[in-house]
Amino acid sequence: MFTNFPLFPQQASVQASQVDGIYFFMLAVTAFFSLLIAGLVVLFAVKYRRRHEDEVGAAIHGSLALELLWTVIPFLITMVMFAWGAKVFFDLYRAPAGAMEVYVVGKQWMWKVQHMGGAREINELHVPVGRPVKLIMGSEDVIHSFFIPAFRVKADVIPGRYNMLWFTASKPGRYHLFCAEYCGTKHSGMIGSVIAMEPTEFQAWLGGGNASDTPAAAGEKLFQSQGCIACHRQGAALQAPLLTNKFGSTVTLQSGARIVADESYIRESILNPQAKIVAGFPPIMPTFQGLVSEEQLMQLVAYVKSLSTPGTAPAGAPANR
Ligand code: CUA
């Protein structure tokens, strides 16, 4: 349905039909009431027009039944829109567990992509069909927006934090990728392609040779070269929290607050270590702001993450750190 209607991009993800469902429902409701009201305006204007110079309109005193009717019916219709829209929004917002994760960095004016296996791409994103894909996105400079019309997904990519976006491609093909936030002179050139492939083809593509270190392995090297390992290890003179099985766990802070150590928390702790100190540790960690790029931050996050996910830690990573 609608695939040959040039006003709309094709539906190439599981999300697309859900988004289009509510979109066309709202369009239909709006069109119906627009026509109804415009039609009645014309009809009444003709039917009740003044026929004589001295004609005076009849006095009316309102109608409770009528007012209830035109209050209750729109209320119910908008509640349907609200509940349906909220359902679609929450589905779009929360990636299912076990989604394939891909790192995306936006910068003036390109999209840099790195897969967990190490494969890198620029202005292209290869994904398998039929599998949820979760993008973990950051920006190196200004606000960009990652937009795949055929998948009906869009999310701002914001400097200073991570944003997520997820989809399940449903149809193999090459689809437009746009930056949908004005980000400077060459914003209009910040475009690319998303290539959805059959899972076997995708595996072949992944093995195609453009792989470098996995993000986790690159992160491990940074962990050593930046000196993180000096404190974040068993028996260090200045003991910092050990990072094994830290990712995804609940951390108690000095303030007593408890938070889940997610990507954004790890990132913040590297750039602004004093923001959320773990209970029982002195606030001595220096900031790494300006020392690591957005991509390197993602690699460090991937490394910390790998210490909590059995089987994904880079070869040579010690069991306890
Ligand atoms: Cu990036 Cu517009």
Side-chain angles (χ1 to χ4, degrees):
M1 200 164 82
F2 301 115
T3 45
N4 293 323
F5 194 43
L7 269 180
F8 291 91
Q10 50 182 318
Q11 296 179 334
S13 74
V14 173
Q15 284 76 8
S17 55
Q18 297 170 0
V19 172
D20 285 1
I22 183 160
Y23 177 78
F24 286 114
F25 170 74
M26 290 173 69
L27 194 64
V29 168
T30 311
F32 172 79
F33 281 102
S34 300
L35 291 174
L36 178 72
I37 292 166
L40 287 177
V41 165
V42 172
L43 179 71
F44 290 167
V46 172
K47 190 170 175 199
Y48 301 111
R49 70 187 184 277
R50 192 155 82 157
R51 288 158 211 264
H52 304 290
E53 279 292 307
D54 51 356
E55 208 171 31
V56 176
I60 51 169
H61 300 285
S63 158
L64 184 64
L66 193 60
E67 290 193 22
L68 279 176
L69 193 73
W70 71 39
T71 305
V72 171
I73 290 178
F75 174 73
L76 293 178
I77 293 174
T78 48
M79 280 302 109
V80 168
M81 290 177 181
F82 169 69
W84 188 354
K87 163 90 173 66
V88 171
F89 176 79
F90 284 125
D91 286 349
L92 281 175
Y93 193 76
R94 284 196 287 241
M100 181 184 113
E101 295 185 345
V102 179
Y103 289 118
V104 173
V105 172
K107 60 176 287 191
Q108 290 169 321
W109 287 275
M110 63 172 79
W111 295 107
K112 293 161 113 184
V113 173
Q114 187 165 25
H115 294 263
M116 286 304 173
R120 290 171 177 280
E121 353 186 22
I122 286 180
N123 293 340
E124 284 197 338
L125 170 62
H126 288 73
V127 293
V129 296
R131 180 165 175 204
V133 175
K134 175 182 170 187
L135 307 182
I136 301 167
M137 309 191 294
S139 168
E140 225 153 79
D141 34 50
V142 299
I143 302 179
H144 303 277
S145 183
F146 195 92
F147 181 31
I148 313 170
F151 291 179
R152 308 292 191 278
V153 291
K154 174 159 73 174
D156 277 8
V157 178
I158 300 163
R161 55 168 288 189
Y162 288 139
N163 227 359
M164 314 288 171
L165 179 154
W166 82 277
F167 54 79
T168 304
S170 58
K171 207 168 102 186
R174 176 178 278 267
Y175 307 104
H176 288 299
L177 161 63
F178 294 115
C179 176
E181 181 77 52
Y182 181 68
C183 55
T185 334
K186 292 182 190 153
H187 155 72
S188 63
M190 194 167 163
I191 54 176
S193 301
V194 175
I195 299 107
M197 312 168 96
E198 293 296 349
T200 48
E201 283 176 56
F202 178 71
Q203 283 308 323
W205 176 85
L206 268 187
N210 57 345
S212 48
D213 274 351
T214 65
E220 184 184 26
K221 285 182 189 160
L222 282 166
F223 197 79
Q224 282 155 2
S225 64
Q226 294 287 344
C228 319
I229 194 169
C231 305
H232 288 281
R233 69 179 161 84
Q234 199 77 261
L238 288 171
Q239 185 64 61
L242 300 177
L243 301 178
T244 305
N245 293 328
K246 193 61 81 183
F247 186 85
S249 70
T250 304
V251 176
T252 306
L253 304 179
Q254 215 124 57
S255 63
R258 291 162 66 80
I259 58 156
V260 172
D262 59 3
E263 288 94 350
S264 294
Y265 173 66
I266 308 288
R267 182 184 186 284
E268 181 185 45
S269 297
I270 297 169
L271 295 180
N272 186 9
Q274 319 302 331
K276 297 193 179 81
I277 301 274
V278 179
F281 290 91
I284 51 171
M285 175 168 160
T287 173
F288 285 78
Q289 186 93 50
L291 296 176
V292 283
S293 69
E294 203 56 51
E295 265 178 286
Q296 291 175 320
L297 276 167
M298 284 185 170
Q299 292 165 349
L300 283 166
V301 170
Y303 173 61
V304 172
K305 221 164 160 178
S306 74
L307 298 175
S308 301
T309 326
T312 60
N320 202 356
R321 175 162 292 161

